[in-house]
């Protein structure tokens, strides 16, 4: 598979479709599974990891659902291609840092990406745009069942699925939503709310997952507990928290608009002005402005923008994407310059 | 005279014409004169100031040159109108703070404005665009001569013209140039250079004269010494310093362009982007951006702008101008909003 193909359009999860997608960008399910009789990936030698590949590929070949997925060996990718997959949220940082014996099974629309031999033998990720945890779960569950037809998963009757890290033991499920919360940031309510979320045993991360900051006012909220609850309990608990966050965000936006309409409009239009005029722009600055554009679109202030374009910009202004799009290695300043050019092109028709 | 007329076009000094006007915005001569037999204005009672008015008006009526000037009593102006005159650099802050017994003689193109009963009975100001101290001096001198035909000036054979403040005694002349020095600011050379200028007995002030800061990267440099030198020595000394400043500024600009071309362009385009997109903007922020626009125009980065438009914007975005243009009293936030609207209108045709 040529990764260039991916550049032509954003992954499905960035389409800005699905319920409540103005605040809840995407819903994601991740299932961790391991194959009985194999040591966990961090203990595997090369031969064992090849054997695991073979078993997985056999299971894939027998499934009409999995057959169309691309089986991509991580070590065959250039560093740039691996960075591209990371920027698209298809693999983890760990999966690209040491890529030997690791692979990726990828569905073309990027709804499903399966890391092989990351922390666990299988890390099935399903990600969809909007607030749609149950549908996302159903897809993930169906894909897991396809593997289960031909693979024996490591499973204990008393505690459930066994995983490399004890925090995933049991259901092996991590469910999360990516939320856009500029209103809670502007009203400075965000910290208090995230503290409450943590007390309820949910985890918050930034746009690029574990260890990343909340750039662009995006937050990923996920379950922490994987043991002692059923999958549907986990999903319904998370859905409850997400709904709460959504209504808090809506309240915050209403408050800002009612109290500070003009200065909100000013900030939003200036963000567009900067994106349309700068000649050098760093990626973090871009993400902040794009976040305001998204808000401006949601509030009906800026017209003529579509969510898919803006969501896609969040991804394609990243370093690896820029270098793939412009087909060359770029220095830091060249990237800032080309990023600015790309933004001006993409936003050309939006008037300030 | 209706001050609304002034709003239609900038004063001659803002036309961006004349030698070296890309760096030396304007040249200004101010002559202080007092009428023999009258106490200085700060000691005058109302009757005496009226008598001075009469003598000056008589002299004006007898001169074909002065006859077309408008004789405007300061106390007949509203506060807003007085602020407007101040913003246009036609009167001093002192002249509008206590306006009783004070007047202004104004030539329509604003090249010459004469404050009556400010610190001295006559403060003849001539201001022209570009670097043209000698021509400016000639006009001032001719106007002074017209008054001298019919007024006896307070004069001492040994020290020259007598003035209310000893710093003006002698020639009564203050010559100055308004310079736009963004290059020296960007290269952080400005402080060192202004220290040198001060050591040579020249004074530096901001855009709005005494006690104002160097907003928009503008500096007024004037002679400090009025005694013991002839007018032509004073002018030629000042001209020497101004030429030095000009070449230092040009060097600084070249350095910036050669070392930091992209980031210079970025700053300049962003300034335009902000001016074209903001919905609330304060006057100091506007002046900084306009300064960068002027620089961008000088460096050939932004095309389609003309100096007269930009120079005029420096003046009309000021509070009194905005309120005159929009014909109503405006709160602070209303001004910021209307200023942004005005800027978007005026810069509509300039593409980013």
């Amino acid at each position: 598979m040529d990764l260039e193909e991916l550049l032509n359009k954003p992954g499905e999860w960035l389409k800005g479709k699905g319920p409540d997608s103005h605040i809840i960008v995407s819903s994601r399910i991740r299932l961790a599974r391991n194959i009985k009789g194999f040591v966990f990936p961090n203990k595997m030698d090369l031969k064992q990891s090849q054997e695991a590949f073979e078993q997985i590929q056999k299971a894939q070949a027998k499934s009409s659902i999995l057959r169309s997925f691309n089986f991509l060996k991580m070590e065959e990718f250039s560093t740039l291609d691996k960075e591209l997959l990371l920027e698209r949220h298809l693999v983890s940082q760990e999966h690209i840092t040491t890529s030997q014996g690791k692979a990726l099974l990828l569905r073309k629309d990027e709804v499903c990406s399966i890391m092989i031999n990351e922390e666990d033998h299988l890390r099935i990720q399903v990600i969809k745009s909007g607030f749609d945890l149950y549908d996302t779960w159903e897809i993930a569950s169906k894909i897991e069942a396809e593997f289960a037809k031909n693979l024996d998963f490591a499973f204990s009757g008393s505690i459930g699925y066994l995983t490399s890290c004890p925090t995933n033991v049991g259901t092996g499920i991590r469910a999360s939503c990516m939320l856009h919360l500029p209103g809670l940031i502007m009203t400075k309510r965000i910290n208090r709310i995230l503290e409450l979320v943590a007390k309820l045993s949910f985890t918050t991360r930034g746009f690029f997952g574990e260890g990343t900051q909340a750039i662009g006012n995006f937050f990923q909220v996920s379950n922490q507990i994987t043991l002692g609850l059923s999958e549907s309990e986990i999903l319904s608990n998370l859905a409850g928290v997400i709904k709460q966050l959504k209504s808090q965000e809506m309240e915050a936006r209403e408050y800002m608009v009612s109290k500070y309409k003009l200065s909100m409009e000013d900030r939003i239009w200036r963000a567009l002005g900067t994106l349309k005029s700068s000649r050098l722009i760093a990626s973090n600055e871009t993400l902040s402005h794009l976040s305001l554009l998204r808000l401006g679109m949601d509030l009906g202030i800026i017209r003529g923008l579509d969510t898919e374009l803006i969501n896609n910009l969040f991804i394609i202004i990243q370093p690896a994407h820029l270098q793939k799009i412009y087909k060359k290695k770029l220095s830091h300043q060249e990237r800032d310059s080309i990023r600015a050019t790309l933004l001006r092109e993409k936003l050309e028709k939006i008037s300030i």
Side-chain angles (χ1 to χ4, degrees), chain A:
Chain A
M1 185 192 184
D2 189 354
L3 293 189
E4 312 268 313
E5 281 177 49
L6 298 180
L7 297 173
N8 299 331
K9 52 168 187 38
E12 193 283 336
W13 67 280
L14 291 163
K15 297 251 179 208
K17 288 175 186 165
D20 297 321
S21 65
H22 62 300
I23 292 176
I24 306 162
V25 180
S26 59
S27 303
R28 175 178 170 269
I29 300 287
R30 193 265 292 142
L31 289 175
R33 294 290 183 268
N34 288 283
I35 312 169
K36 213 167 154 177
F38 281 88
V39 293
F40 288 130
N42 61 338
K43 297 282 182 196
M44 274 178 164
D45 60 23
L46 210 58
K47 191 168 160 281
Q48 289 168 314
S49 65
Q50 292 305 322
E51 282 168 18
F53 278 8
E54 275 165 36
Q55 287 229 16
I56 290 165
Q57 281 184 298
K58 259 185 214 163
Q60 189 199 354
K62 286 181 186 163
S63 157
S64 61
I65 292 172
L66 300 175
R67 209 174 292 140
S68 64
F69 284 37
N70 287 288
F71 190 96
L72 308 162
K73 286 191 181 163
M74 292 309 289
E75 62 198 48
E76 289 173 9
F77 285 123
S78 67
T79 307
L80 190 62
D81 281 345
K82 286 188 280 192
E83 290 283 343
L84 184 91
L85 293 170
L86 180 69
E87 289 176 0
R88 293 185 85 79
H89 298 213
L90 297 172
V91 296
S92 64
Q93 181 65 53
E94 191 186 325
H95 209 53
I96 67 169
T97 308
T98 53
S99 51
Q100 226 182 23
K102 292 187 168 73
L104 172 69
L105 263 173
L106 182 62
R107 198 171 108 172
K108 263 200 178 160
D109 62 1
E110 301 172 56
V111 166
C112 181
S113 57
I114 303 162
M115 286 188 286
I116 298 170
N117 293 342
E118 198 236 28
E119 207 178 272
D120 298 295
H121 299 135
L122 288 173
R123 283 262 172 139
I124 300 166
Q125 171 181 266
V126 174
I127 182 167
K128 288 204 71 185
S129 56
F131 187 34
D132 212 348
L133 281 169
Y134 294 97
D135 193 27
T136 310
W137 159 246
E138 247 175 54
I139 300 172
S141 173
K142 197 177 281 176
I143 286 167
E144 191 255 9
E146 286 296 300
F147 281 112
K149 283 181 191 168
N150 296 290
L151 291 176
D152 257 357
F153 288 141
F155 186 83
S156 143
S158 56
I159 56 171
Y161 293 102
L162 303 178
T163 55
S164 171
C165 176
T167 58
N168 293 308
V169 157
T171 54
I173 194 175
R174 174 99 51 217
S176 67
C177 287
M178 173 92 79
L179 296 131
H180 186 232
L181 305 176
L184 291 175
I185 296 265
M186 286 178 179
T187 52
K188 298 191 170 62
R189 298 177 189 171
I190 191 73
N191 286 338
R192 191 171 48 80
I193 284 176
L194 293 185
E195 275 166 29
L196 281 174
V197 167
K199 276 190 190 152
L200 295 167
S201 295
F202 292 88
T203 308
T204 316
R205 297 181 174 120
F207 190 62
F208 289 103
E210 214 158 336
T212 66
Q213 279 191 307
I215 44 172
N217 303 323
F218 287 105
F219 296 85
Q220 284 183 51
V221 178
S222 61
N223 65 305
Q224 211 165 39
I225 296 168
T226 57
L227 191 65
L229 288 174
S230 70
E231 285 86 349
S232 69
E233 281 169 325
I234 289 170
L235 294 184
S236 107
N237 288 350
L238 178 66
V241 168
I242 300 295
K243 271 182 206 157
Q244 271 295 321
L245 284 167
K246 185 194 96 177
S247 68
Q248 293 284 334
E249 169 65 18
M250 282 172 66
E251 213 176 83
R253 292 184 184 187
E254 273 162 34
Y255 174 82
M256 288 302 291
V257 170
S258 69
K259 280 269 185 180
Y260 307 104
K261 190 164 185 293
L262 264 176
S263 75
M264 282 274 280
E265 287 177 356
D266 182 54
R267 285 184 64 180
I268 288 164
W269 284 109
R270 280 174 182 243
L272 180 60
T274 302
L275 292 172
K276 280 177 71 79
S277 64
S278 68
R279 260 59 179 173
L280 283 179
I281 191 162
S283 94
N284 273 9
E285 189 195 344
T286 308
L287 296 179
S288 316
H289 297 319
L290 287 174
S291 166
L292 283 168
L293 245 59
R294 247 192 89 104
L295 180 64
M297 206 164 53
D298 293 347
L299 299 176
I301 292 168
I302 298 182
R303 290 169 204 280
L305 280 171
D306 75 278
T307 320
E308 184 176 331
L309 168 68
I310 299 302
N311 284 357
N312 196 28
L313 283 176
F314 278 102
I315 303 297
I316 65 173
I317 57 99
Q318 302 297 327
H321 274 79
L322 286 180
Q323 297 179 77
K324 287 295 281 185
I325 292 169
Y326 289 90
K327 294 184 183 13
K328 54 178 175 180
K329 193 152 171 56
L330 301 167
S331 71
H332 191 84
Q333 200 190 47
E334 283 169 335
R335 288 206 300 270
D336 285 358
S337 159
I338 275 180
R339 182 177 295 115
T341 306
L342 180 76
L343 287 163
R344 291 203 307 284
E345 277 169 22
K346 295 284 181 188
L347 297 171
E348 200 194 344
K349 284 178 189 146
I350 315 301
S351 37
I352 45 177

